[in-house]
PDB file of all heavy atoms in Angstrom:
ATOM      1  N   PHE A 371     -64.493  56.655  -9.832  1.00 95.00           N
ATOM      2  CA  PHE A 371     -63.260  56.150 -10.512  1.00 95.00           C
ATOM      3  C   PHE A 371     -63.666  55.001 -11.477  1.00 95.00           C
ATOM      4  O   PHE A 371     -63.271  53.882 -11.297  1.00 95.00           O
ATOM      5  CB  PHE A 371     -62.348  55.662  -9.457  1.00 95.00           C
ATOM      6  CG  PHE A 371     -61.967  56.608  -8.429  1.00 95.00           C
ATOM      7  CD1 PHE A 371     -62.659  56.648  -7.205  1.00 95.00           C
ATOM      8  CD2 PHE A 371     -60.908  57.473  -8.628  1.00 95.00           C
ATOM      9  CE1 PHE A 371     -62.367  57.658  -6.252  1.00 95.00           C
ATOM     10  CE2 PHE A 371     -60.538  58.486  -7.605  1.00 95.00           C
ATOM     11  CZ  PHE A 371     -61.267  58.504  -6.449  1.00 95.00           C
ATOM     12  N   PRO A 372     -64.512  55.361 -12.542  1.00 94.00           N
ATOM     13  CA  PRO A 372     -65.022  54.294 -13.408  1.00 94.00           C
ATOM     14  C   PRO A 372     -63.978  53.551 -14.298  1.00 94.00           C
ATOM     15  O   PRO A 372     -64.216  52.403 -14.579  1.00 94.00           O
ATOM     16  CB  PRO A 372     -66.073  55.008 -14.203  1.00 94.00           C
ATOM     17  CG  PRO A 372     -65.574  56.384 -14.357  1.00 94.00           C
ATOM     18  CD  PRO A 372     -64.838  56.662 -12.981  1.00 94.00           C
ATOM     19  N   VAL A 373     -62.942  54.224 -14.718  1.00 94.00           N
ATOM     20  CA  VAL A 373     -62.056  53.704 -15.706  1.00 94.00           C
ATOM     21  C   VAL A 373     -60.947  52.814 -15.053  1.00 94.00           C
ATOM     22  O   VAL A 373     -60.720  51.696 -15.440  1.00 94.00           O
ATOM     23  CB  VAL A 373     -61.488  54.733 -16.607  1.00 94.00           C
ATOM     24  CG1 VAL A 373     -60.504  54.111 -17.705  1.00 94.00           C
ATOM     25  CG2 VAL A 373     -62.574  55.528 -17.284  1.00 94.00           C
ATOM     26  N   LEU A 374     -60.215  53.397 -14.121  1.00 94.00           N
ATOM     27  CA  LEU A 374     -59.056  52.755 -13.550  1.00 94.00           C
ATOM     28  C   LEU A 374     -59.262  52.278 -12.114  1.00 94.00           C
ATOM     29  O   LEU A 374     -58.426  51.548 -11.653  1.00 94.00           O
ATOM     30  CB  LEU A 374     -57.817  53.681 -13.606  1.00 94.00           C
ATOM     31  CG  LEU A 374     -57.331  54.069 -15.043  1.00 94.00           C
ATOM     32  CD1 LEU A 374     -56.197  55.065 -14.991  1.00 94.00           C
ATOM     33  CD2 LEU A 374     -57.037  52.953 -15.915  1.00 94.00           C
ATOM     34  N   GLY A 375     -60.345  52.687 -11.494  1.00 94.00           N
ATOM     35  CA  GLY A 375     -60.634  52.213 -10.194  1.00 94.00           C
ATOM     36  C   GLY A 375     -59.902  52.987  -9.098  1.00 94.00           C
ATOM     37  O   GLY A 375     -59.039  53.944  -9.367  1.00 94.00           O
ATOM     38  N   VAL A 376     -60.168  52.584  -7.846  1.00 95.00           N
ATOM     39  CA  VAL A 376     -59.682  53.300  -6.697  1.00 95.00           C
ATOM     40  C   VAL A 376     -58.337  52.812  -6.352  1.00 95.00           C
ATOM     41  O   VAL A 376     -57.694  53.409  -5.422  1.00 95.00           O
ATOM     42  CB  VAL A 376     -60.643  53.165  -5.553  1.00 95.00           C
ATOM     43  CG1 VAL A 376     -60.615  51.784  -4.915  1.00 95.00           C
ATOM     44  CG2 VAL A 376     -60.462  54.234  -4.507  1.00 95.00           C
ATOM     45  N   GLY A 377     -57.787  51.790  -6.953  1.00 93.00           N
ATOM     46  CA  GLY A 377     -56.453  51.267  -6.712  1.00 93.00           C
ATOM     47  C   GLY A 377     -56.534  49.850  -6.243  1.00 93.00           C
ATOM     48  O   GLY A 377     -57.259  49.406  -5.346  1.00 93.00           O
ATOM     49  N   LEU A 378     -55.773  49.009  -6.987  1.00 93.00           N
ATOM     50  CA  LEU A 378     -55.692  47.539  -6.621  1.00 93.00           C
ATOM     51  C   LEU A 378     -55.292  47.366  -5.167  1.00 93.00           C
ATOM     52  O   LEU A 378     -54.278  47.923  -4.707  1.00 93.00           O
ATOM     53  CB  LEU A 378     -54.716  46.891  -7.573  1.00 93.00           C
ATOM     54  CG  LEU A 378     -54.540  45.359  -7.389  1.00 93.00           C
ATOM     55  CD1 LEU A 378     -55.847  44.611  -7.755  1.00 93.00           C
ATOM     56  CD2 LEU A 378     -53.385  44.801  -8.202  1.00 93.00           C
ATOM     57  N   ASN A 379     -56.099  46.530  -4.428  1.00 91.00           N
ATOM     58  CA  ASN A 379     -55.803  46.291  -3.035  1.00 91.00           C
ATOM     59  C   ASN A 379     -56.027  47.514  -2.187  1.00 91.00           C
ATOM     60  O   ASN A 379     -55.552  47.556  -0.942  1.00 91.00           O
ATOM     61  CB  ASN A 379     -54.415  45.658  -2.832  1.00 91.00           C
ATOM     62  CG  ASN A 379     -54.291  44.971  -1.503  1.00 91.00           C
ATOM     63  OD1 ASN A 379     -55.237  44.464  -0.975  1.00 91.00           O
ATOM     64  ND2 ASN A 379     -53.119  44.891  -0.995  1.00 91.00           N
ATOM     65  N   ASN A 380     -56.722  48.532  -2.667  1.00 91.00           N
ATOM     66  CA  ASN A 380     -56.960  49.763  -1.834  1.00 91.00           C
ATOM     67  C   ASN A 380     -58.432  49.917  -1.515  1.00 91.00           C
ATOM     68  O   ASN A 380     -58.808  50.950  -0.930  1.00 91.00           O
ATOM     69  CB  ASN A 380     -56.413  50.961  -2.622  1.00 91.00           C
ATOM     70  CG  ASN A 380     -54.976  51.326  -2.366  1.00 91.00           C
ATOM     71  OD1 ASN A 380     -54.708  52.258  -1.746  1.00 91.00           O
ATOM     72  ND2 ASN A 380     -54.158  50.475  -2.875  1.00 91.00           N
ATOM     73  N   PHE A 381     -59.301  48.945  -1.724  1.00 90.00           N
ATOM     74  CA  PHE A 381     -60.705  49.176  -1.434  1.00 90.00           C
ATOM     75  C   PHE A 381     -60.901  49.446  -0.007  1.00 90.00           C
ATOM     76  O   PHE A 381     -61.541  50.360   0.355  1.00 90.00           O
ATOM     77  CB  PHE A 381     -61.488  47.915  -1.894  1.00 90.00           C
ATOM     78  CG  PHE A 381     -63.007  48.109  -1.784  1.00 90.00           C
ATOM     79  CD1 PHE A 381     -63.800  48.398  -2.865  1.00 90.00           C
ATOM     80  CD2 PHE A 381     -63.634  48.006  -0.556  1.00 90.00           C
ATOM     81  CE1 PHE A 381     -65.070  48.611  -2.770  1.00 90.00           C
ATOM     82  CE2 PHE A 381     -64.977  48.107  -0.489  1.00 90.00           C
ATOM     83  CZ  PHE A 381     -65.739  48.475  -1.587  1.00 90.00           C
ATOM     84  N   ALA A 382     -60.361  48.521   0.856  1.00 85.00           N
ATOM     85  CA  ALA A 382     -60.630  48.628   2.348  1.00 85.00           C
ATOM     86  C   ALA A 382     -60.260  49.925   2.857  1.00 85.00           C
ATOM     87  O   ALA A 382     -60.990  50.484   3.717  1.00 85.00           O
ATOM     88  CB  ALA A 382     -59.991  47.395   3.096  1.00 85.00           C
ATOM     89  N   VAL A 383     -59.088  50.477   2.491  1.00 85.00           N
ATOM     90  CA  VAL A 383     -58.569  51.680   3.065  1.00 85.00           C
ATOM     91  C   VAL A 383     -59.232  52.869   2.390  1.00 85.00           C
ATOM     92  O   VAL A 383     -58.994  54.006   2.902  1.00 85.00           O
ATOM     93  CB  VAL A 383     -57.066  51.781   2.921  1.00 85.00           C
ATOM     94  CG1 VAL A 383     -56.443  50.726   3.730  1.00 85.00           C
ATOM     95  CG2 VAL A 383     -56.615  51.683   1.480  1.00 85.00           C
ATOM     96  N   SER A 384     -59.972  52.688   1.294  1.00 87.00           N
ATOM     97  CA  SER A 384     -60.692  53.782   0.654  1.00 87.00           C
ATOM     98  C   SER A 384     -62.132  53.786   0.867  1.00 87.00           C
ATOM     99  O   SER A 384     -62.826  54.803   0.450  1.00 87.00           O
ATOM    100  CB  SER A 384     -60.383  53.757  -0.880  1.00 87.00           C
ATOM    101  OG  SER A 384     -58.968  53.709  -1.070  1.00 87.00           O
TER     102      SER A 384
END
Side-chain angles (χ1 to χ4, degrees):
F371 305 92
V373 179
L374 300 179
V376 76
L378 182 65
N379 200 23
N380 270 250
F381 186 101
V383 294
S384 305

